[in-house]
Amino acid sequence: MIRSPPFSTLPVDPLELHVYGLTYIVALVTAVAITTRRWEHDGGSRELVQDVALRGFPAGLIGGRLD
């Protein structure tokens, strides 16, 4: 069993950053970087990947919260 960390927020005055929010950002940046590199290798354009990520990620978050 993996134990939860003793903290779930990082205080950055005047904000509190949630760890799960930071992992979303890291996952998004990593996925876009990998997809961009692979897409360009196959002859695609970088702008298309970034445009899809810019619209798709927020839409997925909002759509996932709707119930």
Side-chain angles (χ1 to χ4, degrees):
M1 175 201 248
I2 299 173
R3 296 178 189 229
S4 297
F7 60 92
S8 64
T9 61
L10 300 172
V12 178
D13 289 329
L15 304 171
E16 283 191 5
L17 300 176
H18 292 269
V19 175
Y20 67 85
L22 295 175
T23 58
Y24 275 153
I25 293 170
V26 170
L28 175 65
V29 170
T30 303
V32 170
I34 292 170
T35 304
T36 300
R37 187 172 60 174
R38 294 182 70 175
W39 189 253
E40 285 181 330
H41 182 267
D42 289 341
S45 70
R46 173 183 297 256
E47 290 80 22
L48 179 63
V49 174
Q50 293 171 350
D51 193 36
V52 169
L54 185 64
R55 289 182 172 87
F57 185 75
L61 281 178
I62 293 168
R65 298 259 179 205
L66 295 177
D67 202 287

